[in-house]
Amino acid sequence: MDDPVLTARELVRDRFPTARAAFLAGSVLTDHRTPTSDLDIVVLLDGPPAPSRENLVYQGWPVELFVQTEAVWHGFADRETAQRSSPLLAMCAHGMLLVDTDGLGASLQDEARQRWAAGPPPLSDRERDHQRYVLTDLLDDLRGCADPTERVYLVAHMLQRASESVLLAGGHWLGGGKWLSRRLAAADPGMHRALSEAAPQAIAGDATLFVAVVAEVLELAGGPLWDGYAVR
């Protein structure tokens, strides 16, 4: 396939000749690039077809298009920030600015970088207690689990929850799928290694180490919480 940057620029020029700004982002720009990596492209327009999202194949490249207006961009960024996971801010903060006809692209990239550096909003006491309760309950379930199939699902769910708990405790952004792994590896390499090495052992039948690592994560979050936990 052709160079991803040149291909992305050509696509934007062909499909969106009036684009005010466009960004190329994702694994394709990093050492994590694989043969199946796609082109994640954010496009800023003044109006229709924004807002829209589209998947397509262009010159052999799988492409995900995120087409927005300036107002829609800010709305998305605000909603994602409240969820403590913002693919949009990440794409614009760390991506490559392909098109910038009037300075909007540079302005949004600067804003995205500042907001990304500031981190997500901190957990409330209620949210933190819920995190503690969930991990405590999952640990009890795993300790008592005798079904190999159920253990696979429990460990997978606990790996996600524990990883998110470490990130949130440290004031870091969340991520989904591979991005959860990458966020944790960047924020806390030791804990990332401990969780990712212990999880396969737990799935295979020996959960001793995984239980210990998740218990350590739970202590970082404030310790176990089950008896007396209430939502009112």
Side-chain angles (χ1 to χ4, degrees):
M1 291 186 289
D2 294 333
D3 179 87
V5 176
L6 295 178
T7 303
R9 283 201 175 103
E10 185 174 337
L11 184 154
V12 173
R13 185 172 60 249
D14 289 349
R15 291 284 306 272
F16 308 102
T18 62
R20 297 180 63 190
F23 300 85
L24 173 64
S27 302
V28 73
L29 296 178
T30 73
D31 293 338
H32 293 290
R33 176 177 169 179
T34 73
T36 61
S37 292
D38 57 14
L39 305 182
D40 295 317
I41 303 176
V42 179
V43 180
L44 276 296
L45 303 176
D46 275 330
S52 63
R53 177 173 175 172
E54 182 182 355
N55 287 23
L56 66 149
V57 176
Y58 185 85
Q59 296 185 5
W61 282 97
V63 179
E64 285 194 83
L65 288 172
F66 305 87
V67 186
Q68 302 172 339
T69 64
E70 183 177 358
V72 168
W73 188 96
H74 280 101
F76 261 100
D78 290 345
R79 287 193 296 275
E80 290 182 345
T81 296
Q83 297 167 355
R84 303 184 179 88
S85 177
S86 182
L88 179 61
L89 287 180
M91 286 191 288
C92 294
H94 308 308
M96 177 180 293
L97 186 56
L98 299 172
V99 174
D100 191 13
T101 61
D102 58 7
L104 176 63
S107 175
L108 292 181
Q109 186 162 65
D110 183 62
E111 178 179 343
R113 287 173 174 170
Q114 291 185 37
R115 293 177 68 164
W116 188 264
L123 290 174
S124 66
D125 290 343
R126 180 173 180 171
E127 289 171 319
R128 188 175 295 105
D129 283 349
H130 181 68
Q131 288 268 338
R132 294 168 60 199
Y133 159 73
V134 169
L135 278 181
T136 302
D137 195 47
L138 288 170
L139 270 176
D140 287 343
D141 282 346
L142 183 59
R143 289 186 180 110
C145 182
D147 185 313
T149 303
E150 290 183 359
R151 184 167 57 245
V152 172
Y153 284 87
L154 270 172
V155 172
H157 188 47
M158 291 173 69
L159 179 61
Q160 176 182 341
R161 283 288 194 166
S163 299
E164 291 175 345
S165 184
V166 174
L167 289 170
L168 291 172
H172 302 287
W173 292 96
L174 300 177
K178 65 187 179 184
W179 289 104
L180 178 59
S181 174
R182 293 176 189 178
R183 300 266 189 270
L184 183 58
D188 193 331
M191 187 59 74
H192 177 262
R193 183 171 55 254
L195 283 168
S196 58
E197 290 178 354
Q201 296 178 29
I203 289 173
D206 182 3
T208 305
L209 181 57
F210 188 67
V211 166
V213 176
V214 175
E216 183 180 346
V217 171
L218 188 52
E219 288 300 327
L220 292 174
L225 178 61
W226 194 89
D227 186 19
Y229 174 70
V231 178
R232 299 182 176 87

